[in-house]
Amino acid sequence: MQISYNWLKQFINTDWDAQKTGELLTDLGLEVEGIEAFESVKGGLQGIVVGEVLTCIKHPNADRLQLTTVYLGNGDPVQIVCGAPNVAAGQKVPVATAGTTLYDAHGEPWKIKKGKIRGEVSDGMICAEDELGLGDSHDGIMVLDENLDPGTPLSELYDVESDHVFEIGLTPNRADAMSHMGVARDLRAGMIQLNLNSEFITPSTSSFHVVNRTQKVSVAVLDHDLAPRYCGVTMGNLSVEESPAWLQNKLKSIGLTPKNNVVDATNYVLHELGQPLHAFDLAKVQGEEINVKTVPGGTKFTTLDGVERELHEEDLMICDGEKPLCLAGVFGGEGSGVSETTTSIFLESAYFNPVSIRKTAKRHGLNTDASFRFERGIDIKITKYALKRAALLIQEIAGGEVTSDIVEIYPKKTEDHQVVLNFERTYKLIGEEIPKETIKSILASLDIKIINVTETGLGMMVPSYRNDVTREVDVIEEILRVYGYNNIDFKPKLNASISASHRFEDYRVQNIIGDQLAGLGFYEILGNSLTTPSYIQLSESLKEEHNVIMLNPLSNDLSVMRQSMLFSGLEAVAHNLNRRQNNFKFFEFGKTYHNFSGTREEQKCLSLLITGNRSAENWAAASQPTSFFYLKGLVYAIIQRLGIDTITEKPVKNDVFAEGLQLSASKKQIVQLGSIRKKVAAHFDIEQEVGYAIFNWDNVLSLLDRKKTLFTAIPKYPAVRRDFALLLDKNTPFSAIYDIAKNSEKKVLRDVNLFDVYEGDSLPEDKKSYAVSFTFQDEGKTLTDKQVDKIMERFRKQFEKELGAVLR
């Protein structure tokens, strides 16, 4: 937000320089991100002087150039080559001397240098008004008053306004500071604490009066929740033309382009007081009536930018007796705006519902100065005052007169809100005891009225424009920012409380697993919890009725909370693939959100996404692509690190996974993993295979404290390995072999591992071959071949009986 320092000084008298004022504003919480110098004429006409043309002859080497001698008030006359057709001897003209910097139409600087033009020396430049920034004409050079003395600086002849503009990084809660008056209020509060003159000057509206009542307009508000206060007045006999220089300079200083005196007056009051206004050409208002209402969805409406928009049934509109005129609080209509032919207007000042305005602005992709303020909440109590201020300003610069009484619809008056402040809690939160009289002084400087004083605290009335100050802690923050964060002493001793926490606290477990995944080459991502409702169409397991819908969405694509972490993860995958990052592994700790029969539920999750090769290209090893089994190994590594055992596996095949697996423990689902179907990946323009695993983190945490940690000595006796090559049916999983072996031999069997799978022409079509290793170890003695052979024979018989396996 841009704030003009000269404009600010109209509210509060100060002789501080801009830098010092900016530092105080930053200390007060209005962070000044930069201070820019502003001049109504770029360059301030520095280096431009009045010159007298003594001679003017045709350039000997150019048909369209003139060779002049110009006297600049001191020294010898200088020779200047000029191409203007109207230059003549005896004229007084503006001359940019050598070394002067001028600016082009885009604000780019260029320097005047002494040089030669077609062989003749040119020491300066005789200027046209557009070259100086004094107008738009380039038909010829400026011809000045013949009575001016040569050498007179042009800056003395033209009123060049210099200013400094603060760029303030306004936080969303500070709706009260969205104007010069609001910033001046804070500046006054800061100066009071520094014992400086702090008289607060506001524009007077005492001269407002109705001249006649010849242009009455009836006003109806059909929904007072959408427009709690609405005011309007008519004005006639106006002369719409260019605004005076002072007003144009004020608007230009804060980055606005002047339009005409009526529109500029409404914009001026908007930035002066923070109250948006709108002027309608009264001749275009049909039926002499204004209706504030919604219209049927699908209604076509063309805004001031010439864009035809389709209205939503919840868009609040300003209408006349026949048609919509304006998107209330957002943008005016093309057919009702003020133009050069306008002689009468209906001037509007209102307070609109912030949520309604925000929804309308977002729906139509509009972000205007008016909507910016209405969305955050303006001061409902200055609606009528701002209307009078604007009417008086329009009378001053456009003539005319007020031709009706002010129409005001304000059925439910907004009252200031009460807050109670406890001194002890204030001291505790701030960390220092501030004198009570200082607290009272700060509150008074912020227009917070003290209505009750006791030994323990204060009762206060907070003005309605401070919609961010509703709790005791808000008042304490106000006290602290005005008192000054820099004035709070640091204690030499730092006290901290160490809270006891369980070793299975969520954040601790997340850190452990996060470190493990980072060590495995994963990158942590953070997906948006807001997403598009269209994603539920990618999976039948997601239901529209389970969506948690945002009441005030940022956009239609961010209007619901995610039911699955998959799609935000795939967005990250697509984002990286589009930037030629083809090999990566992601993990994310997050939540999914569900609306189950009116009960909203959050579920903690850990998601993994892998795609591309397992590792970066290397000359010493061939690249290996990621796969379902690689993902499975990563998942088991996490489960092992968590200390969860007795895992059961169950195949999963649905509209998301082309091949999937569900792992459970103690009858609780821990994780689902698999390869994403090509159809789902294609929705995100992903062509390569993507592996995905989703942990139910709530279930994981519930299983962690069940297992006791046991410590055993390292075995003294060697392990023995035996291998089987088994011919099996194609649909027999390795887990069946694993479970039979583990259940058959629980004492000395340490590990069962699948190290090769073969399917080929030498085998029957419905068969496959597994190469499986078995590792045995006895903690008390060395195993003999006879013992191991006996166990292996038992395994063989069980595999033949239960699985129909044949040794190869």
Side-chain angles (χ1 to χ4, degrees):
M1 183 182 70
Q2 293 182 313
I3 293 293
S4 158
Y5 195 25
N6 287 349
W7 201 341
L8 205 59
K9 290 180 189 178
Q10 293 178 194
F11 289 93
I12 188 164
N13 289 320
T14 176
D15 57 0
W16 280 14
D17 62 38
Q19 187 65 38
K20 189 174 182 180
T21 301
E23 291 173 0
L24 179 56
L25 288 174
T26 298
D27 289 342
L28 289 166
L30 300 177
E31 183 181 0
V32 176
E33 298 175 340
I35 303 175
E36 296 288 337
F38 169 79
E39 293 168 321
S40 57
V41 177
K42 189 78 170 176
L45 299 178
Q46 296 301 309
I48 315 295
V49 298
V50 176
E52 181 178 3
V53 181
L54 301 179
T55 65
C56 179
I57 61 175
K58 187 177 178 180
H59 193 295
N61 302 317
D63 293 337
R64 297 185 179 182
L65 297 179
Q66 310 293 326
L67 196 61
T68 67
T69 55
V70 182
Y71 178 57
L72 301 179
N74 55 39
D76 298 327
V78 297
Q79 179 172 285
I80 298 176
V81 176
C82 181
N86 64 330
V87 65
Q91 292 175 337
K92 299 291 177 65
V93 294
V95 178
T97 57
T100 298
T101 298
L102 297 180
Y103 296 85
D104 65 18
H106 303 291
E108 296 296 325
W110 55 287
K111 183 173 284 190
I112 302 297
K113 298 179 181 178
K114 182 178 180 180
K116 287 187 176 183
I117 300 177
R118 292 292 185 92
E120 295 292 335
V121 173
S122 184
D123 190 6
M125 176 179 169
I126 303 175
C127 300
E129 65 177 39
D130 66 329
E131 293 165 333
L132 299 176
L134 296 173
D136 299 322
S137 174
H138 196 69
D139 295 337
I141 60 167
M142 287 183 69
V143 180
L144 305 175
D145 189 336
E146 62 181 12
N147 297 318
L148 294 174
D149 294 327
T152 303
L154 215 65
S155 59
E156 296 180 5
L157 306 179
Y158 291 88
D159 185 16
V160 179
E161 182 177 345
S162 297
D163 196 359
H164 287 87
V165 179
F166 301 110
E167 183 65 42
I168 295 179
L170 194 66
T171 53
N173 65 305
R174 290 303 308 275
D176 63 295
M178 295 187 297
S179 64
H180 285 77
M181 183 173 73
V183 173
R185 272 194 301 245
D186 263 21
L187 188 59
R188 174 193 61 174
M191 287 185 166
I192 287 176
Q193 298 313 304
L194 298 174
N195 298 316
L196 298 173
N197 175 35
S198 57
E199 182 184 2
F200 192 58
I201 307 163
T202 56
S204 171
T205 59
S206 58
S207 60
F208 177 87
H209 66 283
V210 180
V211 175
N212 59 65
R213 294 172 175 80
T214 58
Q215 294 179 317
K216 293 183 179 180
V217 173
S218 63
V219 177
V221 177
L222 275 64
D223 190 334
H224 296 296
D225 290 332
L226 298 181
R229 188 177 190 184
Y230 191 91
C231 298
V233 71
T234 61
M235 299 184 70
N237 298 323
L238 300 173
S239 178
V240 179
E241 56 189 25
E242 190 177 84
S243 295
W246 71 265
L247 178 52
Q248 290 195 45
N249 290 338
K250 283 288 189 292
L251 297 180
K252 288 178 180 177
S253 70
I254 58 173
L256 297 183
T257 302
K259 304 294 183 184
N260 57 58
N261 48 9
V262 174
V263 174
D264 292 349
T266 61
N267 284 333
Y268 182 88
V269 175
L270 163 67
H271 290 275
E272 180 186 48
L273 305 179
Q275 170 66 55
L277 302 108
H278 191 73
F280 299 91
D281 187 332
L282 191 57
K284 299 173 183 176
V285 177
Q286 302 299 318
E288 297 182 344
E289 61 181 276
I290 291 291
N291 299 305
V292 185
K293 62 180 183 178
T294 57
V295 298
T299 302
K300 303 296 184 182
F301 178 69
T302 303
T303 46
L304 279 172
D305 56 0
V307 177
E308 185 180 72
R309 304 175 188 275
E310 187 173 299
L311 300 179
H312 189 272
E313 62 269 17
E314 294 182 359
D315 291 335
L316 185 64
M317 303 297 296
I318 310 300
C319 306
D320 62 13
E322 298 179 0
K323 63 187 181 302
L325 301 176
C326 174
L327 273 168
V330 181
F331 209 20
E334 187 178 52
S336 61
V338 174
S339 64
E340 290 75 11
T341 60
T342 300
T343 58
S344 299
I345 62 171
F346 176 78
L347 187 61
E348 166 196 277
S349 178
Y351 179 94
F352 297 119
N353 182 288
V355 174
S356 171
I357 298 302
R358 180 171 178 79
K359 286 183 176 181
T360 296
K362 293 301 178 183
R363 268 194 293 266
H364 297 287
L366 294 169
N367 183 21
T368 62
D369 285 338
S371 67
F372 177 81
R373 285 158 177 80
F374 279 126
E375 288 172 14
R376 287 156 178 79
I378 61 172
D379 183 5
I380 195 171
K381 291 192 173 182
I382 68 165
T383 305
K384 192 173 182 178
Y385 167 68
L387 183 67
K388 291 181 178 180
R389 166 64 173 152
L392 290 172
L393 183 57
I394 290 171
Q395 280 186 292
E396 177 186 336
I397 62 178
E401 57 198 17
V402 178
T403 55
S404 74
D405 291 317
I406 291 177
V407 178
E408 180 180 16
I409 300 177
Y410 190 19
K412 186 178 180 181
K413 301 293 188 292
T414 300
E415 302 295 338
D416 295 343
H417 43 279
Q418 294 189 27
V419 180
V420 176
L421 178 73
N422 180 275
F423 289 131
E424 192 62 37
R425 278 195 292 269
T426 302
Y427 304 151
K428 184 177 180 181
L429 190 59
I430 292 176
E432 184 175 302
E433 186 169 332
I434 298 176
K436 295 179 181 178
E437 291 305 314
T438 300
I439 291 177
K440 294 177 184 178
S441 172
I442 290 173
L443 294 175
S445 70
L446 293 170
D447 295 335
I448 297 177
K449 297 177 183 178
I450 299 173
I451 58 175
N452 185 21
V453 181
T454 67
E455 285 296 316
T456 59
L458 303 171
M460 300 159 293
M461 292 291 289
V462 179
S464 59
Y465 66 79
R466 289 310 305 269
N467 54 30
D468 62 320
V469 181
T470 57
R471 305 166 299 169
E472 180 185 47
V473 68
D474 299 327
V475 176
I476 295 172
E477 182 184 2
E478 292 297 295
I479 294 169
L480 182 55
R481 72 179 181 86
V482 176
Y483 181 74
Y485 291 96
N486 295 334
N487 294 325
I488 303 298
D489 291 333
F490 285 94
K491 302 294 188 292
K493 181 181 178 182
L494 179 64
N495 297 322
S497 300
I498 300 175
S499 60
S501 61
H502 197 275
R503 67 190 182 99
F504 294 122
E505 286 285 347
D506 188 7
Y507 76 93
R508 289 190 171 190
V509 181
Q510 285 192 29
N511 287 340
I512 291 170
I513 300 304
D515 289 344
Q516 180 189 10
L517 288 169
L520 291 169
F522 277 78
Y523 290 93
E524 184 170 11
I525 62 172
L526 184 61
N528 197 339
S529 294
L530 299 176
T531 189
T532 173
S534 64
Y535 282 160
I536 63 171
Q537 299 171 9
L538 299 177
S539 174
E540 294 180 358
S541 62
L542 305 179
K543 305 296 182 183
E544 184 176 359
E545 59 267 24
H546 294 164
N547 275 335
V548 177
I549 302 172
M550 303 302 295
L551 294 176
N552 190 20
L554 295 171
S555 69
N556 290 331
D557 287 338
L558 298 172
S559 59
V560 300
M561 303 194 77
R562 63 183 178 187
Q563 291 189 51
S564 169
M565 293 179 65
L566 171 61
F567 306 120
S568 58
L570 289 177
E571 288 175 353
V573 171
H575 180 85
N576 283 270
L577 290 175
N578 290 338
R579 285 152 184 80
R580 299 188 178 183
Q581 302 297 317
N582 299 321
N583 310 308
F584 48 83
K585 299 188 280 284
F586 290 153
F587 76 95
E588 179 186 1
F589 286 102
K591 292 180 179 179
T592 58
Y593 306 86
H594 312 269
N595 185 4
F596 296 134
S597 301
T599 301
R600 292 174 182 171
E601 183 177 310
E602 296 180 11
Q603 296 176 359
K604 295 179 182 177
C605 302
L606 164 63
S607 66
L608 309 181
L609 284 154
I610 62 172
T611 189
N613 293 325
R614 300 184 186 185
S615 58
E617 289 182 333
N618 190 293
W619 66 271
S623 297
Q624 286 185 293
T626 58
S627 64
F628 169 82
F629 295 102
Y630 176 65
L631 176 63
K632 181 180 177 183
L634 294 171
V635 167
Y636 266 98
I638 294 171
I639 292 174
Q640 185 178 11
R641 182 66 183 86
L642 291 168
I644 299 174
D645 53 16
T646 318
I647 301 297
T648 59
E649 297 183 0
K650 176 184 176 183
V652 171
K653 194 168 184 178
N654 52 32
D655 51 5
V656 170
F657 289 132
E659 179 182 15
L661 192 65
Q662 176 178 301
L663 306 184
S664 303
S666 301
K667 298 183 179 180
K668 291 185 178 182
Q669 177 187 314
I670 298 176
V671 60
Q672 283 191 348
L673 65 143
S675 299
I676 299 300
R677 285 186 179 274
K678 290 183 178 181
K679 180 181 177 181
V680 176
H683 184 84
F684 298 86
D685 296 325
I686 299 171
E687 297 180 356
Q688 63 192 54
E689 184 177 345
V690 178
Y692 175 67
I694 181 72
F695 284 81
N696 186 319
W697 198 247
D698 291 309
N699 286 347
V700 168
L701 294 176
S702 69
L703 294 170
L704 293 185
D705 58 356
R706 295 188 176 188
K707 184 179 179 181
K708 301 291 184 181
T709 302
L710 301 176
F711 297 90
T712 58
I714 296 174
K716 298 178 181 179
Y717 302 98
V720 178
R721 169 174 165 162
R722 291 285 192 273
D723 296 343
F724 268 165
L726 299 171
L727 187 64
L728 299 151
D729 292 337
K730 269 192 175 181
N731 60 358
T732 303
F734 167 70
S735 59
I737 297 173
Y738 183 93
D739 291 340
I740 291 171
K742 281 289 187 179
N743 291 329
S744 177
E745 178 54 55
K746 298 180 179 180
K747 183 177 180 182
V748 298
L749 180 62
R750 294 291 175 259
D751 189 30
V752 182
N753 181 50
L754 176 66
F755 64 88
D756 188 37
V757 178
Y758 175 72
E759 295 180 45
D761 296 337
S762 61
L763 297 180
E765 187 176 340
D766 59 344
K767 298 292 184 180
K768 63 182 174 182
S769 175
Y770 275 174
V772 184
S773 67
F774 303 87
T775 303
F776 304 94
Q777 189 175 40
D778 194 318
E779 296 179 0
K781 62 184 178 180
T782 300
L783 289 172
T784 64
D785 288 340
K786 185 177 180 181
Q787 290 175 302
V788 175
D789 290 343
K790 185 178 180 180
I791 296 172
M792 293 296 291
E793 179 62 20
R794 186 166 72 248
F795 284 173
R796 183 186 65 78
K797 291 179 179 179
Q798 289 180 300
F799 294 154
E800 288 178 353
K801 179 180 179 182
E802 298 184 30
L803 304 177
V806 177
L807 280 180
R808 295 186 66 200

